[in-house]
Amino acid sequence: EVQLVESGGGLVQPGGSLRLSCAASGFTFSDYYMDWVRQAPGKGLEWVGRIRTKANSYTTEYAASVKGRFTISRDDSKNSLYLQMNSLKTEDTAVYYCARGHWGFDYWGQGTLVTVSS
Amino acid sequence: DIQMTQSPSSLSASVGDRVTITCRASQGIRNSLTWFQQRPGKAPTSLIFDASNLQSGVPSKFSGSGSGTDFTLTISSLQPEDSATYYCQQYNTYPYTFGQGTKLEIK
């Protein structure tokens, strides 16, 4: 059974940093592109970014709203995906989901809440 | 960026009804479109990929169609558990973009 479990969310002050993790199981993690998607409270879904596989040089794509502040990485040996978030803004407050980037986004985690507030 | 526009924004239907949700892309996206269901307080789940292909385990009451700029999601034989918000998303061009969502209420 495919499982994605996010962790690392919490309360952080504007300008601060946070690192989210996503633990994957039930599939060959290294074979798949992985994505982050977020959802601000009461709002719709926003794609954050993607990381490709080793075969595609672990290249990344980002939404304009996070480019230069957020970094996606992965550790295939640990079946884990990461989102390093720096220079956080209040508008980054959201539930952050990791998703497997196959046939669209075929599997999602349950999400982790990030609150940026002073 | 490609804008995805869903209609209607909300709708109400009865048990047993069939409903259709429309998603329009601001430019052609071939068939690179997926549909998600999101129940309150839960993560989205994938229903349809490549515009018309059912994800594994999704009941056949859900169907998708379209190509290019115009797409539809049809849900037949509505049940109370179909009450949710439905989103379309294009994955033809970065940045990937979502529709604003359609909230379905079952009367």
Side-chain angles (χ1 to χ4, degrees):
Chain A
E1 178 193 8
V2 172
Q3 285 199 330
L4 298 169
V5 180
E6 301 92 339
S7 61
L11 175 64
V12 60
Q13 292 189 335
S17 298
L18 207 59
R19 189 197 197 204
L20 305 183
S21 299
C22 171
S25 61
F27 65 103
T28 305
F29 179 73
S30 58
D31 286 349
Y32 291 87
Y33 295 4
M34 295 296 297
D35 295 75
W36 288 97
V37 177
R38 67 183 181 183
Q39 186 169 35
K43 302 296 184 182
L45 299 165
E46 180 187 16
W47 176 77
V48 172
R50 157 169 286 189
I51 187 165
R52 298 181 179 89
T53 58
K54 180 179 181 181
N56 291 277
S57 304
Y58 296 128
T59 52
T60 53
E61 305 284 347
Y62 296 97
S65 57
V66 306
K67 196 169 186 178
R69 300 187 300 122
F70 289 13
T71 301
I72 299 174
S73 61
R74 63 192 295 165
D75 185 338
D76 291 345
S77 69
K78 295 182 178 179
N79 291 338
S80 292
L81 173 72
Y82 305 102
L83 180 64
Q84 177 67 44
M85 304 185 293
N86 298 330
S87 303
L88 282 161
K89 306 175 181 180
T90 55
E91 53 263 40
D92 295 318
T93 294
V95 174
Y96 285 74
Y97 298 101
C98 63
R100 190 172 78 168
H102 183 64
W103 298 134
F105 300 156
D106 60 352
Y107 288 95
W108 296 61
Q110 286 306 299
T112 187
L113 175 63
V114 173
T115 304
V116 184
S117 175
S118 54
Chain B
D1 297 2
I2 296 175
Q3 305 302 314
M4 305 299 293
T5 303
Q6 288 182 232
S7 61
S9 295
S10 64
L11 73 158
S12 181
S14 300
V15 171
D17 283 355
R18 183 175 77 171
V19 297
T20 297
I21 299 168
T22 297
C23 179
R24 175 164 289 174
S26 61
Q27 63 190 77
I29 59 170
R30 301 182 295 175
N31 69 335
S32 300
L33 184 108
T34 183
W35 290 95
F36 300 102
Q37 177 192 65
Q38 187 177 33
R39 296 189 174 106
K42 299 295 186 182
T45 58
S46 181
L47 300 171
I48 301 282
F49 68 94
D50 287 354
S52 61
N53 292 284
L54 215 57
Q55 285 282 7
S56 175
V58 174
S60 59
K61 60 185 294 179
F62 295 94
S63 62
S65 65
S67 183
T69 60
D70 294 309
F71 302 86
T72 60
L73 172 70
T74 299
I75 312 170
S76 60
S77 302
L78 284 173
Q79 296 299 311
E81 59 266 27
D82 298 324
S83 179
T85 300
Y86 293 85
Y87 293 92
C88 64
Q89 183 227 342
Q90 67 83 17
Y91 50 96
N92 183 74
T93 304
Y94 295 110
Y96 293 167
T97 46
F98 290 85
Q100 81 279 14
T102 296
K103 189 173 183 178
L104 172 62
E105 176 199 7
I106 308 300
K107 289 182 283 191

